[in-house]
Amino acid sequence: VVIATGRDGQASPRIPAPFSTHMGAGVQHSSDPLDTRVLNGRRIVVVGLSASAFDNACVAAEAGADVTMLGRAPHLPTVNKMKQTVYPGFAHAFPDLPDSERLKWLRLVTAARTAPPRHTVQRAARAGVKVILGEETTKVTRNGDALNLVTPKSTYQADQVILGTGFRFDFGADPALSGIASETLLWRDIAESTTPND
């Protein structure tokens, strides 16, 4: 049986703790639909530096919003190591590697921050998106209909927050798989019994 459901079938949105109680009340994930009809003149804060974070920031800014992006990283990533997966040689040879080599490679790639596409960053610059690096939201408070995002350095006000914070692996996220999730062999199970020299 092959269930080719993509990310929706094996992951769920990663929601940083300070935002968890505000979801749906001025806070949404970048994978949620964005209603551009209500963005003109609003203060939008996009949390994260991923491709989807930049995409949402661009769409919001082009719809007339005042957009600020907040990223934890001190520098914007410039290299996408995952690009090594998009040629036929990888697709044909990767399954033949020993588990230890595949796991080592996957850890290397996932540990590196993925760079957003260059053209998307340029689009954000043209749209007037402000990018602030080295800022992690530690607390979120509500001020009427607005939200205050508190970081160690400053406080940012937003009428709406978009979380471009990626996804967390959750094999049971798809109802079709939830019944067998606890019995499924995962990479972490392999890692416990595999060393790099095996």
Short mmCIF file of all heavy atoms in Angstrom, two decimals, residues 57-130:
data_model
loop_
_atom_site.label_atom_id
_atom_site.label_comp_id
_atom_site.label_asym_id
_atom_site.label_seq_id
_atom_site.Cartn_x
_atom_site.Cartn_y
_atom_site.Cartn_z
N ALA A 57 4.45 36.68 3.42
CA ALA A 57 4.81 38.08 3.62
C ALA A 57 4.63 38.87 2.32
O ALA A 57 4.12 40.00 2.34
CB ALA A 57 6.25 38.17 4.12
N CYS A 58 5.06 38.30 1.21
CA CYS A 58 4.93 38.97 -0.08
C CYS A 58 3.47 39.21 -0.45
O CYS A 58 3.09 40.31 -0.86
CB CYS A 58 5.62 38.15 -1.17
SG CYS A 58 7.42 38.09 -1.06
N VAL A 59 2.66 38.18 -0.30
CA VAL A 59 1.24 38.31 -0.65
C VAL A 59 0.57 39.37 0.22
O VAL A 59 -0.20 40.20 -0.27
CB VAL A 59 0.53 36.94 -0.50
CG1 VAL A 59 -0.98 37.10 -0.60
CG2 VAL A 59 1.03 35.96 -1.56
N ALA A 60 0.88 39.36 1.52
CA ALA A 60 0.27 40.34 2.42
C ALA A 60 0.71 41.76 2.07
O ALA A 60 -0.10 42.69 2.05
CB ALA A 60 0.64 40.01 3.87
N ALA A 61 2.00 41.94 1.80
CA ALA A 61 2.51 43.27 1.47
C ALA A 61 1.92 43.77 0.16
O ALA A 61 1.56 44.95 0.03
CB ALA A 61 4.03 43.25 1.40
N GLU A 62 1.81 42.88 -0.81
CA GLU A 62 1.24 43.26 -2.11
C GLU A 62 -0.24 43.56 -2.02
O GLU A 62 -0.81 44.23 -2.88
CB GLU A 62 1.52 42.16 -3.12
CG GLU A 62 3.00 42.07 -3.49
CD GLU A 62 3.41 40.79 -4.18
OE1 GLU A 62 2.54 39.89 -4.33
OE2 GLU A 62 4.58 40.66 -4.57
N ALA A 63 -0.88 43.07 -0.95
CA ALA A 63 -2.30 43.36 -0.71
C ALA A 63 -2.49 44.64 0.10
O ALA A 63 -3.61 45.00 0.45
CB ALA A 63 -2.96 42.20 0.01
N GLY A 64 -1.37 45.33 0.41
CA GLY A 64 -1.46 46.61 1.10
C GLY A 64 -1.16 46.59 2.58
O GLY A 64 -1.32 47.61 3.26
N ALA A 65 -0.70 45.46 3.10
CA ALA A 65 -0.39 45.37 4.53
C ALA A 65 1.00 45.91 4.83
O ALA A 65 1.88 45.94 3.96
CB ALA A 65 -0.50 43.93 5.01
N ASP A 66 1.20 46.34 6.08
CA ASP A 66 2.52 46.73 6.58
C ASP A 66 3.12 45.47 7.21
O ASP A 66 2.68 45.03 8.26
CB ASP A 66 2.36 47.84 7.62
CG ASP A 66 3.68 48.25 8.25
OD1 ASP A 66 4.75 47.85 7.73
OD2 ASP A 66 3.65 48.94 9.29
N VAL A 67 4.12 44.88 6.54
CA VAL A 67 4.59 43.55 6.92
C VAL A 67 5.99 43.58 7.51
O VAL A 67 6.91 44.17 6.94
CB VAL A 67 4.57 42.60 5.70
CG1 VAL A 67 5.03 41.19 6.11
CG2 VAL A 67 3.18 42.54 5.08
N THR A 68 6.13 42.91 8.66
CA THR A 68 7.42 42.70 9.31
C THR A 68 7.64 41.22 9.48
O THR A 68 6.74 40.50 9.93
CB THR A 68 7.46 43.38 10.69
OG1 THR A 68 7.25 44.79 10.53
CG2 THR A 68 8.81 43.15 11.37
N MET A 69 8.84 40.75 9.13
CA MET A 69 9.21 39.36 9.35
C MET A 69 10.17 39.28 10.53
O MET A 69 11.13 40.06 10.59
CB MET A 69 9.86 38.75 8.10
CG MET A 69 8.95 38.67 6.91
SD MET A 69 9.75 37.82 5.51
CE MET A 69 9.74 36.11 6.10
N LEU A 70 9.91 38.37 11.45
CA LEU A 70 10.79 38.15 12.59
C LEU A 70 11.42 36.76 12.48
O LEU A 70 10.70 35.75 12.39
CB LEU A 70 10.02 38.23 13.91
CG LEU A 70 9.42 39.58 14.31
CD1 LEU A 70 8.71 39.45 15.66
CD2 LEU A 70 10.47 40.65 14.35
N GLY A 71 12.74 36.70 12.49
CA GLY A 71 13.43 35.42 12.41
C GLY A 71 14.37 35.22 13.58
O GLY A 71 15.05 36.15 14.00
N ARG A 72 14.42 34.00 14.12
CA ARG A 72 15.34 33.70 15.22
C ARG A 72 16.79 33.71 14.77
O ARG A 72 17.68 34.07 15.52
CB ARG A 72 15.04 32.31 15.80
CG ARG A 72 13.73 32.21 16.53
CD ARG A 72 13.55 30.81 17.09
NE ARG A 72 13.60 29.80 16.02
CZ ARG A 72 13.63 28.49 16.22
NH1 ARG A 72 13.63 28.02 17.46
NH2 ARG A 72 13.66 27.65 15.22
N ALA A 73 17.02 33.28 13.53
CA ALA A 73 18.40 33.16 13.05
C ALA A 73 19.07 34.53 12.94
O ALA A 73 18.43 35.50 12.55
CB ALA A 73 18.41 32.48 11.67
N PRO A 74 20.35 34.60 13.28
CA PRO A 74 21.07 35.89 13.17
C PRO A 74 21.39 36.27 11.74
O PRO A 74 21.66 37.42 11.45
CB PRO A 74 22.35 35.64 13.98
CG PRO A 74 22.55 34.17 13.92
CD PRO A 74 21.18 33.55 13.89
N HIS A 75 21.33 35.29 10.83
CA HIS A 75 21.61 35.54 9.42
C HIS A 75 20.57 34.80 8.58
O HIS A 75 20.10 33.73 8.96
CB HIS A 75 23.00 35.07 9.02
CG HIS A 75 24.10 35.62 9.89
ND1 HIS A 75 24.51 36.92 9.81
CD2 HIS A 75 24.85 35.04 10.86
CE1 HIS A 75 25.47 37.13 10.69
NE2 HIS A 75 25.69 36.01 11.35
N LEU A 76 20.25 35.35 7.43
CA LEU A 76 19.32 34.68 6.51
C LEU A 76 20.07 33.55 5.81
O LEU A 76 21.11 33.79 5.20
CB LEU A 76 18.79 35.69 5.49
CG LEU A 76 17.69 35.18 4.56
CD1 LEU A 76 16.43 34.85 5.36
CD2 LEU A 76 17.38 36.24 3.50
N PRO A 77 19.58 32.32 5.90
CA PRO A 77 20.25 31.21 5.22
C PRO A 77 20.34 31.47 3.71
O PRO A 77 19.44 32.06 3.11
CB PRO A 77 19.35 30.01 5.51
CG PRO A 77 18.55 30.40 6.70
CD PRO A 77 18.37 31.89 6.61
N THR A 78 21.44 31.04 3.11
CA THR A 78 21.64 31.28 1.67
C THR A 78 21.82 30.00 0.86
O THR A 78 21.87 30.06 -0.37
CB THR A 78 22.87 32.17 1.45
OG1 THR A 78 24.01 31.55 2.05
CG2 THR A 78 22.66 33.55 2.06
N VAL A 79 21.93 28.85 1.52
CA VAL A 79 22.14 27.59 0.82
C VAL A 79 21.03 26.61 1.17
O VAL A 79 20.70 26.44 2.34
CB VAL A 79 23.51 26.96 1.18
CG1 VAL A 79 23.67 25.60 0.49
CG2 VAL A 79 24.64 27.89 0.79
N ASN A 80 20.46 25.99 0.15
CA ASN A 80 19.42 24.98 0.36
C ASN A 80 20.02 23.61 0.06
O ASN A 80 20.10 23.19 -1.09
CB ASN A 80 18.22 25.26 -0.56
CG ASN A 80 17.09 24.29 -0.31
OD1 ASN A 80 17.20 23.35 0.48
ND2 ASN A 80 15.98 24.49 -0.99
N LYS A 81 20.45 22.91 1.10
CA LYS A 81 21.08 21.61 0.90
C LYS A 81 20.10 20.56 0.41
O LYS A 81 20.50 19.53 -0.15
CB LYS A 81 21.75 21.15 2.20
CG LYS A 81 22.94 22.01 2.58
CD LYS A 81 23.68 21.46 3.77
CE LYS A 81 24.91 22.32 4.07
NZ LYS A 81 25.68 21.79 5.21
N MET A 82 18.81 20.80 0.60
CA MET A 82 17.81 19.85 0.13
C MET A 82 17.75 19.80 -1.40
O MET A 82 17.19 18.87 -1.98
CB MET A 82 16.45 20.22 0.71
CG MET A 82 15.39 19.16 0.54
SD MET A 82 15.81 17.56 1.29
CE MET A 82 15.33 17.83 2.98
N LYS A 83 18.34 20.77 -2.08
CA LYS A 83 18.38 20.77 -3.55
C LYS A 83 19.09 19.53 -4.08
O LYS A 83 18.94 19.17 -5.24
CB LYS A 83 19.08 22.03 -4.06
CG LYS A 83 18.23 23.29 -4.00
CD LYS A 83 17.12 23.23 -5.02
CE LYS A 83 16.36 24.54 -5.07
NZ LYS A 83 15.23 24.46 -6.02
N GLN A 84 19.90 18.89 -3.23
CA GLN A 84 20.61 17.68 -3.66
C GLN A 84 19.66 16.51 -3.89
O GLN A 84 20.10 15.45 -4.35
CB GLN A 84 21.66 17.31 -2.63
CG GLN A 84 22.82 18.29 -2.54
CD GLN A 84 23.56 18.38 -3.87
OE1 GLN A 84 23.90 17.38 -4.47
NE2 GLN A 84 23.81 19.59 -4.32
N THR A 85 18.39 16.69 -3.59
CA THR A 85 17.44 15.58 -3.76
C THR A 85 16.68 15.65 -5.08
O THR A 85 15.87 14.77 -5.36
CB THR A 85 16.42 15.58 -2.61
OG1 THR A 85 15.59 16.76 -2.72
CG2 THR A 85 17.10 15.55 -1.26
N VAL A 86 16.91 16.67 -5.89
CA VAL A 86 16.03 16.90 -7.05
C VAL A 86 16.68 16.52 -8.38
O VAL A 86 16.45 17.17 -9.38
CB VAL A 86 15.55 18.37 -7.09
CG1 VAL A 86 14.65 18.66 -5.91
CG2 VAL A 86 16.73 19.33 -7.12
N TYR A 87 17.47 15.45 -8.38
CA TYR A 87 17.97 14.95 -9.66
C TYR A 87 17.84 13.43 -9.66
O TYR A 87 17.79 12.79 -8.60
CB TYR A 87 19.40 15.42 -9.90
CG TYR A 87 20.43 14.89 -8.93
CD1 TYR A 87 21.18 13.75 -9.23
CD2 TYR A 87 20.66 15.52 -7.72
CE1 TYR A 87 22.12 13.26 -8.35
CE2 TYR A 87 21.60 15.03 -6.82
CZ TYR A 87 22.33 13.90 -7.15
OH TYR A 87 23.26 13.41 -6.27
N PRO A 88 17.76 12.82 -10.84
CA PRO A 88 17.48 11.38 -10.92
C PRO A 88 18.48 10.50 -10.18
O PRO A 88 18.10 9.48 -9.60
CB PRO A 88 17.51 11.10 -12.42
CG PRO A 88 17.17 12.41 -13.05
CD PRO A 88 17.77 13.45 -12.16
N GLY A 89 19.75 10.89 -10.16
CA GLY A 89 20.75 10.08 -9.49
C GLY A 89 20.44 9.88 -8.02
O GLY A 89 20.62 8.78 -7.48
N PHE A 90 19.95 10.91 -7.38
CA PHE A 90 19.59 10.80 -5.96
C PHE A 90 18.42 9.85 -5.80
O PHE A 90 18.45 8.95 -4.95
CB PHE A 90 19.24 12.17 -5.39
CG PHE A 90 18.79 12.12 -3.95
CD1 PHE A 90 19.72 12.23 -2.93
CD2 PHE A 90 17.45 11.93 -3.62
CE1 PHE A 90 19.32 12.16 -1.60
CE2 PHE A 90 17.04 11.86 -2.31
CZ PHE A 90 17.98 11.97 -1.29
N ALA A 91 17.38 10.05 -6.60
CA ALA A 91 16.17 9.24 -6.47
C ALA A 91 16.46 7.76 -6.68
O ALA A 91 15.88 6.90 -6.02
CB ALA A 91 15.11 9.72 -7.46
N HIS A 92 17.38 7.45 -7.59
CA HIS A 92 17.67 6.04 -7.89
C HIS A 92 18.63 5.42 -6.88
O HIS A 92 18.52 4.24 -6.56
CB HIS A 92 18.24 5.92 -9.31
CG HIS A 92 17.23 6.16 -10.38
ND1 HIS A 92 16.16 5.32 -10.60
CD2 HIS A 92 17.11 7.16 -11.29
CE1 HIS A 92 15.43 5.79 -11.60
NE2 HIS A 92 15.98 6.90 -12.03
N ALA A 93 19.59 6.20 -6.40
CA ALA A 93 20.64 5.62 -5.57
C ALA A 93 20.38 5.68 -4.08
O ALA A 93 20.85 4.81 -3.33
CB ALA A 93 21.98 6.32 -5.88
N PHE A 94 19.65 6.68 -3.61
CA PHE A 94 19.46 6.86 -2.16
C PHE A 94 18.88 5.62 -1.47
O PHE A 94 19.38 5.22 -0.41
CB PHE A 94 18.58 8.08 -1.90
CG PHE A 94 18.50 8.48 -0.46
CD1 PHE A 94 19.58 9.05 0.19
CD2 PHE A 94 17.33 8.29 0.26
CE1 PHE A 94 19.51 9.42 1.52
CE2 PHE A 94 17.24 8.65 1.60
CZ PHE A 94 18.34 9.22 2.22
N PRO A 95 17.87 4.96 -2.04
CA PRO A 95 17.31 3.78 -1.36
C PRO A 95 18.32 2.63 -1.21
O PRO A 95 18.13 1.77 -0.36
CB PRO A 95 16.14 3.37 -2.26
CG PRO A 95 15.78 4.61 -3.01
CD PRO A 95 17.09 5.33 -3.23
N ASP A 96 19.37 2.62 -2.04
CA ASP A 96 20.34 1.54 -1.97
C ASP A 96 21.43 1.76 -0.92
O ASP A 96 22.21 0.85 -0.63
CB ASP A 96 21.02 1.35 -3.35
CG ASP A 96 20.02 0.85 -4.39
OD1 ASP A 96 19.05 0.17 -4.01
OD2 ASP A 96 20.21 1.16 -5.59
N LEU A 97 21.49 2.96 -0.36
CA LEU A 97 22.48 3.22 0.67
C LEU A 97 22.12 2.48 1.95
O LEU A 97 20.93 2.28 2.24
CB LEU A 97 22.56 4.73 0.96
CG LEU A 97 23.15 5.62 -0.11
CD1 LEU A 97 22.99 7.08 0.30
CD2 LEU A 97 24.61 5.30 -0.36
N PRO A 98 23.12 2.12 2.76
CA PRO A 98 22.82 1.53 4.07
C PRO A 98 22.04 2.52 4.93
O PRO A 98 22.16 3.74 4.76
CB PRO A 98 24.21 1.27 4.67
CG PRO A 98 25.16 1.31 3.53
CD PRO A 98 24.56 2.22 2.50
N ASP A 99 21.26 2.00 5.86
CA ASP A 99 20.46 2.87 6.74
C ASP A 99 21.32 3.92 7.43
O ASP A 99 20.93 5.08 7.55
CB ASP A 99 19.73 2.04 7.80
CG ASP A 99 18.53 1.30 7.22
OD1 ASP A 99 18.08 1.68 6.13
OD2 ASP A 99 18.06 0.37 7.89
N SER A 100 22.50 3.52 7.89
CA SER A 100 23.36 4.46 8.61
C SER A 100 23.78 5.64 7.74
O SER A 100 23.83 6.78 8.21
CB SER A 100 24.60 3.75 9.15
OG SER A 100 25.34 3.17 8.09
N GLU A 101 24.05 5.37 6.44
CA GLU A 101 24.45 6.45 5.53
C GLU A 101 23.27 7.36 5.20
O GLU A 101 23.41 8.58 5.12
CB GLU A 101 25.04 5.87 4.25
CG GLU A 101 26.39 5.22 4.42
CD GLU A 101 27.43 6.22 4.90
OE1 GLU A 101 27.51 7.32 4.34
OE2 GLU A 101 28.15 5.89 5.87
N ARG A 102 22.11 6.77 5.01
CA ARG A 102 20.92 7.59 4.73
C ARG A 102 20.59 8.48 5.93
O ARG A 102 20.27 9.66 5.77
CB ARG A 102 19.72 6.70 4.38
CG ARG A 102 19.83 6.10 2.99
CD ARG A 102 18.54 5.47 2.56
NE ARG A 102 18.31 4.22 3.28
CZ ARG A 102 17.15 3.57 3.28
NH1 ARG A 102 16.10 4.06 2.65
NH2 ARG A 102 17.02 2.44 3.94
N LEU A 103 20.65 7.91 7.12
CA LEU A 103 20.35 8.67 8.32
C LEU A 103 21.36 9.79 8.53
O LEU A 103 20.99 10.92 8.88
CB LEU A 103 20.33 7.74 9.53
CG LEU A 103 19.93 8.38 10.86
CD1 LEU A 103 18.55 9.01 10.76
CD2 LEU A 103 19.95 7.34 11.97
N LYS A 104 22.63 9.50 8.29
CA LYS A 104 23.68 10.51 8.42
C LYS A 104 23.42 11.67 7.46
O LYS A 104 23.54 12.84 7.83
CB LYS A 104 25.04 9.88 8.15
CG LYS A 104 26.22 10.81 8.31
CD LYS A 104 27.52 10.06 8.04
CE LYS A 104 28.73 10.98 8.13
NZ LYS A 104 29.98 10.24 7.84
N TRP A 105 23.06 11.35 6.23
CA TRP A 105 22.79 12.38 5.23
C TRP A 105 21.56 13.20 5.61
O TRP A 105 21.58 14.43 5.54
CB TRP A 105 22.58 11.72 3.86
CG TRP A 105 22.50 12.72 2.75
CD1 TRP A 105 23.52 13.23 2.01
CD2 TRP A 105 21.31 13.36 2.28
NE1 TRP A 105 23.05 14.15 1.11
CE2 TRP A 105 21.69 14.25 1.25
CE3 TRP A 105 19.96 13.28 2.62
CZ2 TRP A 105 20.78 15.03 0.56
CZ3 TRP A 105 19.05 14.07 1.94
CH2 TRP A 105 19.46 14.93 0.92
N LEU A 106 20.49 12.53 6.03
CA LEU A 106 19.27 13.24 6.42
C LEU A 106 19.50 14.17 7.60
O LEU A 106 18.97 15.27 7.65
CB LEU A 106 18.16 12.24 6.74
CG LEU A 106 17.56 11.50 5.54
CD1 LEU A 106 16.68 10.36 5.99
CD2 LEU A 106 16.76 12.48 4.67
N ARG A 107 20.31 13.71 8.56
CA ARG A 107 20.61 14.57 9.71
C ARG A 107 21.38 15.81 9.28
O ARG A 107 21.15 16.91 9.79
CB ARG A 107 21.41 13.78 10.75
CG ARG A 107 20.56 12.83 11.57
CD ARG A 107 21.40 12.03 12.52
NE ARG A 107 20.57 11.32 13.48
CZ ARG A 107 21.00 10.32 14.22
NH1 ARG A 107 22.25 9.90 14.11
NH2 ARG A 107 20.19 9.73 15.08
N LEU A 108 22.32 15.64 8.36
CA LEU A 108 23.10 16.77 7.86
C LEU A 108 22.19 17.80 7.20
O LEU A 108 22.29 19.01 7.45
CB LEU A 108 24.16 16.28 6.87
CG LEU A 108 24.97 17.37 6.17
CD1 LEU A 108 25.89 18.06 7.17
CD2 LEU A 108 25.78 16.78 5.02
N VAL A 109 21.28 17.33 6.37
CA VAL A 109 20.40 18.23 5.63
C VAL A 109 19.40 18.92 6.54
O VAL A 109 19.17 20.13 6.46
CB VAL A 109 19.67 17.48 4.50
CG1 VAL A 109 18.61 18.35 3.86
CG2 VAL A 109 20.68 17.02 3.45
N THR A 110 18.78 18.15 7.44
CA THR A 110 17.76 18.74 8.30
C THR A 110 18.35 19.66 9.37
O THR A 110 17.66 20.55 9.88
CB THR A 110 16.89 17.66 8.97
OG1 THR A 110 17.75 16.76 9.69
CG2 THR A 110 16.11 16.88 7.92
N ALA A 111 19.61 19.47 9.72
CA ALA A 111 20.24 20.34 10.70
C ALA A 111 20.56 21.71 10.12
O ALA A 111 20.65 22.70 10.85
CB ALA A 111 21.52 19.71 11.24
N ALA A 112 20.70 21.77 8.80
CA ALA A 112 20.99 23.05 8.14
C ALA A 112 19.69 23.81 7.91
O ALA A 112 18.67 23.22 7.56
CB ALA A 112 21.70 22.80 6.81
N ARG A 113 19.72 25.09 8.08
CA ARG A 113 18.53 25.90 7.82
C ARG A 113 18.35 26.02 6.31
O ARG A 113 19.30 26.21 5.58
CB ARG A 113 18.67 27.27 8.46
CG ARG A 113 18.92 27.21 9.96
CD ARG A 113 18.89 28.58 10.58
NE ARG A 113 17.54 29.11 10.61
CZ ARG A 113 16.66 28.87 11.58
NH1 ARG A 113 16.99 28.12 12.58
NH2 ARG A 113 15.46 29.39 11.54
N THR A 114 17.12 25.88 5.85
CA THR A 114 16.85 25.93 4.42
C THR A 114 16.66 27.37 3.96
O THR A 114 15.87 28.12 4.54
CB THR A 114 15.59 25.11 4.08
OG1 THR A 114 15.79 23.76 4.51
CG2 THR A 114 15.31 25.12 2.59
N ALA A 115 17.38 27.74 2.93
CA ALA A 115 17.29 29.11 2.42
C ALA A 115 16.00 29.31 1.63
O ALA A 115 15.60 28.43 0.87
CB ALA A 115 18.49 29.41 1.53
N PRO A 116 15.35 30.46 1.78
CA PRO A 116 14.21 30.76 0.93
C PRO A 116 14.70 31.04 -0.49
O PRO A 116 15.86 31.44 -0.68
CB PRO A 116 13.60 32.03 1.57
CG PRO A 116 14.76 32.66 2.27
CD PRO A 116 15.64 31.55 2.73
N PRO A 117 13.87 30.85 -1.50
CA PRO A 117 14.30 31.11 -2.88
C PRO A 117 14.72 32.57 -3.07
O PRO A 117 14.10 33.49 -2.53
CB PRO A 117 13.05 30.80 -3.70
CG PRO A 117 12.24 29.89 -2.84
CD PRO A 117 12.50 30.31 -1.43
N ARG A 118 15.78 32.77 -3.82
CA ARG A 118 16.34 34.11 -4.03
C ARG A 118 15.30 35.06 -4.63
O ARG A 118 15.17 36.21 -4.21
CB ARG A 118 17.55 34.01 -4.96
CG ARG A 118 18.26 35.32 -5.24
CD ARG A 118 19.55 35.07 -6.00
NE ARG A 118 20.26 36.30 -6.27
CZ ARG A 118 20.13 37.01 -7.38
NH1 ARG A 118 19.31 36.58 -8.34
NH2 ARG A 118 20.81 38.13 -7.56
N HIS A 119 14.54 34.57 -5.61
CA HIS A 119 13.56 35.45 -6.26
C HIS A 119 12.45 35.86 -5.30
O HIS A 119 11.88 36.96 -5.41
CB HIS A 119 12.97 34.79 -7.51
CG HIS A 119 12.16 33.55 -7.22
ND1 HIS A 119 10.83 33.59 -6.91
CD2 HIS A 119 12.52 32.24 -7.20
CE1 HIS A 119 10.38 32.36 -6.71
NE2 HIS A 119 11.38 31.53 -6.88
N THR A 120 12.16 35.00 -4.30
CA THR A 120 11.13 35.35 -3.32
C THR A 120 11.64 36.42 -2.36
O THR A 120 10.89 37.33 -1.97
CB THR A 120 10.70 34.10 -2.54
OG1 THR A 120 10.33 33.08 -3.46
CG2 THR A 120 9.52 34.40 -1.63
N VAL A 121 12.91 36.33 -1.98
CA VAL A 121 13.51 37.36 -1.13
C VAL A 121 13.53 38.70 -1.87
O VAL A 121 13.23 39.76 -1.30
CB VAL A 121 14.93 36.95 -0.70
CG1 VAL A 121 15.59 38.06 0.11
CG2 VAL A 121 14.89 35.66 0.12
N GLN A 122 13.86 38.66 -3.16
CA GLN A 122 13.86 39.89 -3.96
C GLN A 122 12.44 40.46 -4.08
O GLN A 122 12.25 41.67 -4.03
CB GLN A 122 14.45 39.60 -5.34
CG GLN A 122 15.93 39.26 -5.31
CD GLN A 122 16.45 38.80 -6.66
OE1 GLN A 122 15.73 38.18 -7.44
NE2 GLN A 122 17.71 39.10 -6.93
N ARG A 123 11.47 39.58 -4.23
CA ARG A 123 10.07 40.02 -4.31
C ARG A 123 9.66 40.70 -3.01
O ARG A 123 8.99 41.73 -3.02
CB ARG A 123 9.18 38.80 -4.58
CG ARG A 123 7.69 39.09 -4.60
CD ARG A 123 6.92 37.79 -4.77
NE ARG A 123 5.48 37.98 -4.60
CZ ARG A 123 4.62 36.99 -4.41
NH1 ARG A 123 5.05 35.74 -4.37
NH2 ARG A 123 3.33 37.25 -4.25
N ALA A 124 10.09 40.13 -1.87
CA ALA A 124 9.77 40.73 -0.57
C ALA A 124 10.40 42.12 -0.44
O ALA A 124 9.78 43.05 0.08
CB ALA A 124 10.26 39.82 0.55
N ALA A 125 11.63 42.26 -0.92
CA ALA A 125 12.29 43.56 -0.86
C ALA A 125 11.54 44.58 -1.69
O ALA A 125 11.34 45.73 -1.27
CB ALA A 125 13.74 43.43 -1.33
N ARG A 126 11.10 44.19 -2.88
CA ARG A 126 10.34 45.11 -3.76
C ARG A 126 9.02 45.51 -3.12
O ARG A 126 8.53 46.63 -3.31
CB ARG A 126 10.10 44.46 -5.12
CG ARG A 126 11.33 44.33 -5.99
CD ARG A 126 10.95 43.99 -7.42
NE ARG A 126 10.21 42.74 -7.52
CZ ARG A 126 10.76 41.54 -7.69
NH1 ARG A 126 12.08 41.43 -7.76
NH2 ARG A 126 10.01 40.46 -7.78
N ALA A 127 8.42 44.58 -2.35
CA ALA A 127 7.11 44.84 -1.75
C ALA A 127 7.22 45.64 -0.45
O ALA A 127 6.20 46.01 0.13
CB ALA A 127 6.39 43.51 -1.48
N GLY A 128 8.46 45.89 0.00
CA GLY A 128 8.64 46.70 1.21
C GLY A 128 8.56 45.92 2.51
O GLY A 128 8.35 46.51 3.58
N VAL A 129 8.74 44.59 2.45
CA VAL A 129 8.71 43.78 3.66
C VAL A 129 9.95 44.07 4.50
O VAL A 129 11.07 44.08 3.99
CB VAL A 129 8.66 42.27 3.31
CG1 VAL A 129 8.78 41.42 4.56
CG2 VAL A 129 7.37 41.95 2.55
N LYS A 130 9.74 44.30 5.80
CA LYS A 130 10.87 44.52 6.72
C LYS A 130 11.27 43.18 7.33
O LYS A 130 10.42 42.46 7.85
CB LYS A 130 10.47 45.50 7.82
CG LYS A 130 10.11 46.90 7.30
CD LYS A 130 9.71 47.83 8.42
CE LYS A 130 8.33 47.49 8.97
NZ LYS A 130 7.23 47.70 8.02
#
